[in-house]
Amino acid sequence: MGASSIDGKSALIAGSVGVAVTYYLSKRHFENKTIQLRKEKYDLDQKERTDRNAARQDSGLPNGLELEGFQSDNVYLQDLEHLGKYFASEGEGINNVMVRANCEYNKLIGPQECILANIRRGPGKSAVTRAFLRAGPRADLHFNPKTVNAAIVTCGGLCPGLNNVIREITRSLFYLYGIQGKCYGIVGGYSGFYDPKTPPIELTPDTVRHIHNKGGTMLGSSRGGFDIDKIVEFIRKKNIRQLYVIGGDGTHRGAFKIHETCMELGLHVAVAGIPKTIDNDVDYIDRSFGFITSVEQAQEAIRAAKTEAMCNLPNGIGIVKLMGRSSGYIAAHATLGSGDVDLCLVPEVPIVLDGEKGCLPHLWNRVKQKGYAVVVVAEGAGEELLGESTETDASGNKKLPMIGEFLKSEIGKYFKGKGEEATVKYIDPSYMIRSVPANATDSLYCMQLGQNAVHGTMAGYTGFSVGLLNNKMCLLPIPELVATSPRQMNARGRTWERILGITRQPNTVNNGKRSKSGSILSHPIGTVSSV
């Protein structure tokens, strides 16, 4: 190889290295410049934010960027009936303090202190919202604790936390307000007001001391039995001033009837409701007490169904039926809490058995992919397949079709049609999930419900219920609460989307026409929650 050839190659290599070095240095310079510009912009933004927040603080305004087109001009407070409009106050001049604790409240609620119901806002959205009175102790008492006799009744089905609510109402009456009258526990639901077989019992802090550790209700419960004349007769005879009714929407309608009758007859009585529904289908409130416990308890049944499905060959499938007459909240949340469910069926979403969106082909695929499958179904699902029953129970609730047994049969038939056997295990833990003691979360909620129901009645409010709204305790007019109950889960909401993401089942929700903002313009019949 000649010297000129070597020199040429060396020059070529040197030139390539030079180009590479130049490119590298240029790239590094550009990257450093970009980093510097980004840092300068960040520092400028931080300074502008700091200056803006300082100026807002000087003006008494909150920190943050003011948004245009967001308004909340008109707030409509939902009225509660107050006994002070019709009866002279018996608590005038009495200082509202925690009697047994011998200390004052840190915060007393003002007469128009409220919680907004509609907290979501966006450009072009309505500026009108309704609001509900905030629950809590008031400065002015309507009743004199020395003359208060109270009664507590539980109606309808069982629910985790019933004993907690009874306990907290009783303890609040005696410990927070120091009543010197009696507190009666009405045994066996509404019929306990007059049935000689179930006379009322006297409740004291001692008699309710340990009941929160047990499931069910120490007072017993029943459906039906509502006789307004006999109930009012008991109220007159025992000189009841405050009545606490724990139950669902039907029970609340009865409570409001008692309130109306007492007003018509000139009886000085405050009636308060505490919403109770295992299905979580009372409208407005964030959730009903006992719901979290029931979802937690349902996990045991789902785990058992998974074990049965995995261990029983061939083609193991476990079905769990959970409570939920018209609303699938328990089934939905239990599915999300488990993470092991392959198919979730709820009343709000139609069941399609076969075809492109059929649940049976979906189960077949899931079994073939992993060897087993788990199904969770709400008891009220599938009426579009099995039809609605015309029979009702004592509370007027329609009897439900045998959806669990139906699914078990249809799954077996489908697999046989494919030339294979399915080993299907059916678990129905319905009553097991509602008869357990409340967990810590529900126990805390029950304490808040009981205390705030007493705060409301002692202040003179009547015909109201108490519940959690936007994570704040509120007093809600019973007619508002029951007018749109039972509520249903939004089949086009985030909760159902999450279920589809976990189970990967076909979405059988009928597609409605979407607005430009992406919201569905056509909705399922009935009230739906936003989630």
Side-chain angles (χ1 to χ4, degrees):
M1 182 179 295
S4 61
S5 176
I6 294 174
D7 291 342
K9 286 187 176 181
S10 298
L12 181 62
I13 292 172
S16 299
V17 170
V19 170
V21 170
T22 301
Y23 171 78
Y24 175 76
L25 293 175
S26 299
K27 182 179 179 183
R28 285 296 305 271
H29 176 74
F30 178 77
E31 290 175 349
N32 291 336
K33 184 66 174 177
T34 302
I35 293 172
Q36 180 64 29
L37 290 173
R38 189 179 293 121
K39 183 178 183 305
E40 290 176 0
K41 185 177 186 305
Y42 175 77
D43 291 340
L44 181 61
D45 287 345
Q46 292 300 307
K47 184 178 184 306
E48 289 179 353
R49 183 179 291 109
T50 301
D51 293 344
R52 181 184 67 232
N53 289 342
R56 288 192 177 280
Q57 289 177 358
D58 291 341
S59 303
L61 297 173
N63 292 342
L65 180 66
E66 183 179 5
L67 298 178
E68 297 181 0
F70 287 71
Q71 297 180 349
S72 185
D73 296 335
N74 302 314
V75 177
Y76 293 87
L77 181 63
Q78 304 302 295
D79 289 335
L80 287 183
E81 201 70 75
H82 195 281
L83 293 172
K85 296 179 182 178
Y86 314 99
F87 301 92
S89 172
E90 298 174 353
E92 190 172 347
I94 299 176
N95 189 25
N96 189 8
V97 297
M98 290 182 280
V99 175
R100 293 296 179 92
N102 195 28
C103 65
E104 296 183 351
Y105 290 101
N106 291 324
K107 167 70 176 177
L108 293 171
I109 306 301
Q112 288 191 330
E113 198 166 331
C114 60
I115 304 299
L116 299 183
N118 309 110
I119 58 175
R120 290 181 296 178
R121 286 292 180 269
K125 296 286 186 180
S126 172
V128 177
T129 182
R130 68 177 66 194
F132 296 93
L133 279 176
R134 186 179 179 187
R138 262 68 180 173
D140 298 326
L141 296 183
H142 179 78
F143 288 102
N144 186 338
K146 293 181 179 180
T147 62
V148 167
N149 290 317
I152 306 172
V153 62
T154 55
C155 303
L158 298 184
C159 182
L162 278 168
N163 277 332
N164 300 68
V165 177
I166 296 168
R167 181 177 187 262
E168 293 306 326
I169 292 173
T170 304
R171 286 164 59 89
S172 297
L173 287 168
F174 286 98
Y175 286 163
L176 297 184
Y177 287 94
I179 70 165
Q180 296 181 18
K182 292 183 177 181
C183 181
Y184 296 95
I186 307 303
V187 178
Y190 278 134
S191 62
F193 281 102
Y194 56 84
D195 190 345
K197 297 178 183 178
T198 54
I201 60 177
E202 186 174 342
L203 301 177
T204 67
D206 286 336
T207 61
V208 301
R209 187 182 304 277
H210 303 295
I211 65 172
H212 61 299
N213 296 318
K214 299 178 181 179
T217 164
M218 70 168 292
L219 300 178
S221 187
S222 68
R223 300 185 185 277
F226 186 83
D227 189 320
I228 187 62
D229 294 330
K230 293 179 179 179
I231 293 173
V232 170
E233 181 181 349
F234 177 90
I235 291 173
R236 286 183 187 271
K237 181 179 178 181
K238 299 295 185 180
N239 192 27
I240 301 298
R241 290 300 185 87
Q242 296 176 7
L243 174 60
Y244 300 91
V245 182
I246 309 169
D249 54 342
T251 300
H252 270 66
R253 291 183 178 94
F256 194 72
K257 178 64 175 177
I258 296 173
H259 151 72
E260 289 184 311
T261 304
C262 287
M263 295 301 294
E264 290 171 2
L265 298 176
L267 298 179
H268 194 181
V269 180
V271 180
I274 296 90
K276 182 245 0 149
T277 164
I278 196 71
D279 293 346
N280 196 40
D281 59 359
V282 171
D283 207 5
Y284 289 107
I285 61 175
D286 294 352
R287 70 177 190 276
S288 55
F289 73 85
F291 174 70
I292 299 297
T293 302
S294 296
V295 170
E296 180 180 303
Q297 192 69 17
Q299 301 305 306
E300 292 189 18
I302 296 175
R303 285 191 288 268
K306 179 183 177 182
T307 301
E308 290 286 343
M310 291 178 67
C311 298
N312 284 283
L313 305 179
N315 301 322
I317 297 176
I319 301 176
V320 178
K321 188 186 80 171
L322 297 175
M323 288 186 158
R325 285 184 162 273
S326 57
S327 305
Y329 287 105
I330 291 182
H333 285 256
T335 294
L336 294 174
S338 166
D340 290 325
V341 178
D342 301 290
L343 177 64
C344 178
L345 303 174
V346 296
E348 295 89 340
V349 178
I351 297 177
V352 176
L353 291 178
D354 210 342
E356 182 182 355
K357 293 189 175 183
C359 63
L360 296 179
H362 169 70
L363 283 178
W364 170 271
N365 291 333
R366 297 299 287 150
V367 170
K368 292 308 166 185
Q369 289 167 4
K370 62 178 188 175
Y372 69 94
V374 178
V375 180
V376 169
V377 56
E379 61 181 344
E383 284 191 334
E384 66 279 355
L385 295 176
L386 301 177
E388 293 189 30
S389 174
T390 57
E391 297 182 66
T392 59
D393 60 21
S395 295
N397 297 316
K398 63 184 177 183
K399 294 188 177 181
L400 299 172
M402 309 287 280
I403 183 62
E405 293 84 345
F406 172 78
L407 281 176
K408 180 179 180 180
S409 173
E410 291 299 314
I411 291 170
K413 292 178 184 177
Y414 186 82
F415 273 72
K416 279 187 178 180
K418 292 277 192 177
E420 297 192 24
E421 291 291 325
T423 307
V424 185
K425 302 299 181 181
Y426 174 52
I427 299 174
D428 182 358
S430 296
Y431 297 103
M432 294 177 64
I433 71 171
R434 75 177 195 178
S435 58
V436 296
N439 65 11
T441 299
D442 277 323
S443 293
L444 172 61
Y445 188 22
C446 291
M447 180 198 71
Q448 294 174 302
L449 290 169
Q451 288 186 358
N452 284 297
V454 174
H455 288 320
T457 55
M458 291 300 297
Y461 292 108
T462 184
F464 72 91
S465 192
V466 60
L468 199 64
L469 176 69
N470 295 328
N471 208 35
K472 301 292 183 182
M473 295 300 300
C474 294
L475 306 181
L476 304 98
I478 290 178
E480 287 287 327
L481 195 69
V482 302
T484 51
S485 296
R487 70 176 171 189
Q488 290 186 298
M489 183 177 65
N490 188 352
R492 298 182 179 89
R494 296 286 181 84
T495 298
W496 187 245
E497 286 178 350
R498 295 183 185 111
I499 288 173
L500 295 175
I502 287 178
T503 65
R504 288 175 281 169
Q505 68 191 72
N507 187 10
T508 58
V509 177
N510 295 323
N511 291 324
K513 184 180 179 182
R514 291 185 177 272
S515 67
K516 292 182 179 179
S517 64
S519 62
I520 296 290
L521 297 180
S522 59
H523 295 277
I525 296 174
T527 302
V528 295
S529 72
S530 60
V531 295

